[in-house]
Amino acid sequence: MKKLFRYLIPGIIVICSVFYLSVKYLSAEDGEQAPDFEATLIDGAAFKLSDLQGKYVLLDFWGSWCAPCRKENPKLVALHQKHSDKLTIVTVALEKDASSWKKVAKKDGFIWKNQIVDQNSFVMLSAIARKYGVSAIPAKFLISPEGKLIGKPTFEEIDVLFSGSQMNKK
């Protein structure tokens, strides 16, 4: 039994490390094309990220079980209320149970159309999250109208960007 643990624990550590590094280093970088994906929205409609080209998109990964996500949700709602004419928000709920998010999303005020629930027993193994190198949530990505990753700005940076005169001219 000692031998088993002697090899099992380091093996698990190596596997986890390889997974983490592959997610981090094989994901898209700022300036590159945002990885496209297809999913089903909460209303049952088909969704494809590339269909939003021509618009600024904020892709937000969160979870109903995630306290830091819940703390940020009011800022996300405020951003939607203030800039919905210039910015399309797409939320991806990483959940173990596909029904958990519904009560939380409603309570937190998520009213936008583009809401996705990605159910997985190991939430960070979500195929969508892996494409973006998400290893912790909340995580958000700003995508240009050309479909390029702009970065991972804070809500304050996004607000300044979309309140600024440059964005009002576009």
Side-chain angles (χ1 to χ4, degrees):
M1 190 61 127
K2 264 187 174 180
K3 251 186 179 179
L4 176 66
F5 285 114
R6 184 175 169 193
Y7 294 108
L8 185 63
I9 302 298
I12 290 171
I13 291 170
V14 167
I15 289 169
C16 290
S17 298
V18 167
F19 172 75
Y20 176 80
L21 292 172
S22 69
V23 166
K24 278 297 185 198
Y25 294 107
L26 296 178
S27 60
E29 301 281 328
D30 291 356
E32 293 180 354
Q33 197 69 23
D36 199 13
F37 63 89
E38 294 181 23
T40 302
L41 297 175
I42 59 169
D43 65 3
F47 174 85
K48 188 172 183 180
L49 181 64
S50 58
D51 289 344
L52 296 177
Q53 280 197 338
K55 303 175 183 179
Y56 281 94
V57 175
L58 180 64
L59 180 62
D60 182 76
F61 292 90
W62 75 291
S64 63
W65 47 271
C66 168
C69 300
R70 297 290 311 281
K71 187 176 179 182
E72 282 195 352
N73 284 349
K75 294 178 184 179
L76 185 63
V77 170
L79 196 68
H80 171 72
Q81 291 170 342
K82 188 172 181 181
H83 300 294
S84 62
D85 58 330
K86 302 173 205 152
L87 178 67
T88 300
I89 294 177
V90 177
T91 50
V92 180
L94 303 178
E95 301 288 339
K96 286 183 181 184
D97 175 12
S99 63
S100 301
W101 67 273
K102 192 172 191 172
K103 184 170 46 166
V104 172
K106 184 177 180 179
K107 182 178 180 182
D108 288 357
F110 286 18
I111 59 169
W112 45 88
K113 177 185 189 311
N114 298 313
Q115 295 183 59
I116 298 163
V117 178
D118 196 352
Q119 183 180 347
N120 196 315
S121 296
F122 300 101
V123 293
M124 299 316 279
L125 293 180
S126 156
I128 300 169
R130 284 195 323 253
K131 286 183 178 189
Y132 284 84
V134 174
S135 59
I137 56 174
K140 56 193 151 314
F141 301 85
L142 187 59
I143 302 170
S144 75
E146 297 77 30
K148 306 251 183 212
L149 285 173
I150 295 174
K152 301 173 188 174
T154 65
F155 287 114
E156 293 77 16
E157 291 169 336
I158 295 168
D159 186 41
V160 167
L161 179 67
F162 286 94
S163 294
S165 59
Q166 283 186 330
M167 292 308 300
N168 293 328
K169 292 178 184 173
K170 291 189 178 185

Coordinates of all heavy atoms in Angstrom, one line a residue, residues 1-15:
M1 N 0.8 -1.2 0.0 CA 0.0 0.0 0.0 C 0.9 1.3 0.0 O 0.5 2.2 -0.7 CB -0.9 0.0 1.2 CG -2.0 1.0 1.2 SD -3.0 0.8 -0.3 CE -4.6 0.9 0.5
K2 N 2.0 1.2 0.8 CA 2.9 2.4 0.8 C 3.4 2.7 -0.6 O 3.6 3.8 -1.0 CB 4.0 2.1 1.8 CG 3.8 2.7 3.1 CD 5.1 2.5 3.9 CE 5.0 3.2 5.2 NZ 6.2 3.1 6.0
K3 N 3.8 1.6 -1.3 CA 4.3 1.7 -2.7 C 3.3 2.4 -3.6 O 3.7 3.2 -4.4 CB 4.7 0.3 -3.2 CG 6.1 0.1 -3.4 CD 6.4 -1.2 -4.1 CE 7.9 -1.4 -4.2 NZ 8.2 -2.7 -4.8
L4 N 2.1 2.0 -3.4 CA 1.0 2.6 -4.3 C 1.0 4.1 -4.1 O 0.9 4.8 -5.1 CB -0.4 2.0 -3.9 CG -1.6 2.5 -4.7 CD1 -1.5 2.2 -6.1 CD2 -2.8 2.0 -4.1
F5 N 0.9 4.6 -2.8 CA 0.9 6.0 -2.6 C 2.2 6.7 -3.0 O 2.1 7.8 -3.4 CB 0.6 6.3 -1.1 CG -0.9 6.0 -0.8 CD1 -1.2 5.0 0.1 CD2 -1.9 6.8 -1.3 CE1 -2.5 4.8 0.4 CE2 -3.2 6.6 -1.0 CZ -3.5 5.5 -0.1
R6 N 3.2 6.0 -2.9 CA 4.5 6.5 -3.3 C 4.6 6.9 -4.7 O 5.2 7.9 -5.1 CB 5.6 5.5 -3.0 CG 7.0 6.0 -3.2 CD 8.0 5.0 -2.8 NE 9.3 5.3 -3.2 CZ 10.3 4.5 -3.2 NH1 10.2 3.3 -2.7 NH2 11.5 4.9 -3.7
Y7 N 3.9 6.2 -5.6 CA 3.8 6.5 -7.0 C 2.6 7.2 -7.5 O 2.6 7.9 -8.4 CB 4.0 5.2 -7.8 CG 5.4 4.5 -7.6 CD1 5.5 3.4 -6.9 CD2 6.5 5.1 -8.2 CE1 6.8 2.8 -6.7 CE2 7.7 4.6 -8.0 CZ 7.9 3.4 -7.2 OH 9.1 2.9 -7.0
L8 N 1.5 6.9 -6.7 CA 0.2 7.5 -7.1 C 0.2 9.0 -6.9 O -0.2 9.7 -7.9 CB -0.9 6.9 -6.3 CG -2.3 7.3 -6.6 CD1 -2.7 6.9 -8.1 CD2 -3.3 6.7 -5.7
I9 N 0.6 9.5 -5.8 CA 0.6 10.9 -5.5 C 1.4 11.7 -6.5 O 0.9 12.7 -7.1 CB 1.0 11.2 -4.1 CG1 0.1 10.5 -3.1 CG2 1.0 12.7 -3.8 CD1 -1.4 10.9 -3.1
P10 N 2.7 11.3 -6.7 CA 3.5 12.1 -7.8 C 2.9 12.0 -9.2 O 2.9 12.9 -9.9 CB 4.9 11.4 -7.7 CG 4.9 10.8 -6.3 CD 3.5 10.4 -6.0
G11 N 2.3 10.8 -9.5 CA 1.6 10.6 -10.8 C 0.5 11.6 -10.9 O 0.3 12.2 -12.0
I12 N -0.3 11.7 -9.9 CA -1.5 12.7 -10.0 C -0.9 14.1 -10.1 O -1.5 14.9 -10.9 CB -2.3 12.5 -8.7 CG1 -3.1 11.2 -8.8 CG2 -3.3 13.7 -8.6 CD1 -3.8 10.8 -7.5
I13 N 0.1 14.5 -9.4 CA 0.7 15.8 -9.5 C 1.2 16.1 -10.9 O 1.0 17.1 -11.5 CB 1.8 16.0 -8.4 CG1 1.2 16.0 -7.0 CG2 2.6 17.3 -8.7 CD1 2.2 16.0 -5.9
V14 N 1.9 15.1 -11.5 CA 2.4 15.3 -12.9 C 1.2 15.4 -13.9 O 1.3 16.3 -14.7 CB 3.3 14.1 -13.3 CG1 3.6 14.1 -14.8 CG2 4.6 14.1 -12.5
I15 N 0.2 14.6 -13.7 CA -0.9 14.7 -14.6 C -1.6 16.1 -14.5 O -1.9 16.7 -15.5 CB -1.9 13.5 -14.4 CG1 -1.3 12.2 -14.9 CG2 -3.3 13.8 -15.1 CD1 -2.1 11.0 -14.4

